[in-house]
Amino acid sequence: MKLTINIDCTPAEARAFFGQPDLEPMNQMIVDEMKKRAKENMDTLADPERLMAQWMAMSGKSFEQFQSMMGMSPKKK
């Protein structure tokens, strides 16, 4: 015997039916924060000198973090 049931509901209604939390407010907060940070950094992207300075400041730290993550310690002189 084969039984098919079709339920017409929205994703929000399905989440509520199965007891899942509504994450829409948190998602909206994250999107709003990302938009705010992008707008704040627009002037940095327009100025190549500031952009390169920011990249160069991050390069050394990023390499050290990568080394520590991989378990490699930098050689000391």
Side-chain angles (χ1 to χ4, degrees), residues 15-75:
R15 282 192 300 271
F17 178 77
F18 287 110
Q20 298 291 318
D22 181 20
L23 300 177
E24 184 62 31
M26 185 174 70
N27 185 42
Q28 190 59 45
M29 180 188 69
I30 292 170
V31 169
D32 292 340
E33 181 66 23
M34 290 175 69
K35 285 180 184 177
K36 184 184 99 184
R37 289 184 185 191
K39 286 179 183 176
E40 288 173 355
N41 290 321
M42 282 295 189
D43 60 336
T44 302
L45 296 175
D47 184 6
E49 189 174 318
R50 286 178 63 187
L51 183 61
M52 287 304 291
Q54 194 175 48
W55 284 356
M56 297 312 270
M58 292 298 289
S59 65
K61 294 177 189 174
S62 299
F63 186 68
E64 290 172 5
Q65 289 175 347
F66 178 74
Q67 282 183 326
S68 67
M69 180 181 70
M70 295 307 240
M72 299 182 275
S73 60
K75 294 182 180 181

